[in-house]
Amino acid sequence: MNSVSESTLLLPDWAQGRLLTVEEVAERLNTSVRFPRRLIEERRIAFVHVGRKVRIPEAALEAFIAAGLVQPITTTSGRGA
């Protein structure tokens, strides 16, 4: 095994994939930069310190979005809309 493969095996699932900047996360969520910074401050999303910088793993962002997913209500009354 090479060193890259061995180091990724040590990471939890939420830390896998590309590390995104706060600006990239804000763009993906279509919000201001303040929103992901608040998520980090309130520990509502997983993040990684890289030196003095903060990065959010792509898998953690996807998990955060999935946790907020609301399924549509389906009706079985048989009436059309």
Side-chain angles (χ1 to χ4, degrees), residues 43-62:
R43 309 279 183 170
R44 292 173 51 201
I45 193 167
F47 62 94
V48 177
H49 277 277
V50 180
R52 295 178 65 186
K53 307 288 184 184
V54 174
R55 298 291 184 261
I56 298 173
E58 198 166 28
L61 178 60
E62 291 170 4

Side-chain angles (χ1 to χ4, degrees), residues 24-65:
E24 289 172 325
V25 171
E27 186 176 321
R28 284 218 188 156
L29 294 175
N30 198 26
T31 64
S32 70
V33 175
R34 289 182 63 193
F35 181 67
R37 288 193 191 282
R38 193 173 80 226
L39 294 176
I40 291 166
E41 181 182 340
E42 295 172 358
R43 309 279 183 170
R44 292 173 51 201
I45 193 167
F47 62 94
V48 177
H49 277 277
V50 180
R52 295 178 65 186
K53 307 288 184 184
V54 174
R55 298 291 184 261
I56 298 173
E58 198 166 28
L61 178 60
E62 291 170 4
F64 175 79
I65 293 169

Side-chain angles (χ1 to χ4, degrees), residues 2-30:
N2 63 30
S3 62
V4 174
S5 298
E6 291 172 3
S7 64
T8 36
L9 292 176
L10 301 175
L11 295 174
D13 289 342
W14 61 263
Q16 299 291 328
R18 191 167 161 245
L19 296 176
L20 305 172
T21 65
V22 173
E23 292 78 14
E24 289 172 325
V25 171
E27 186 176 321
R28 284 218 188 156
L29 294 175
N30 198 26

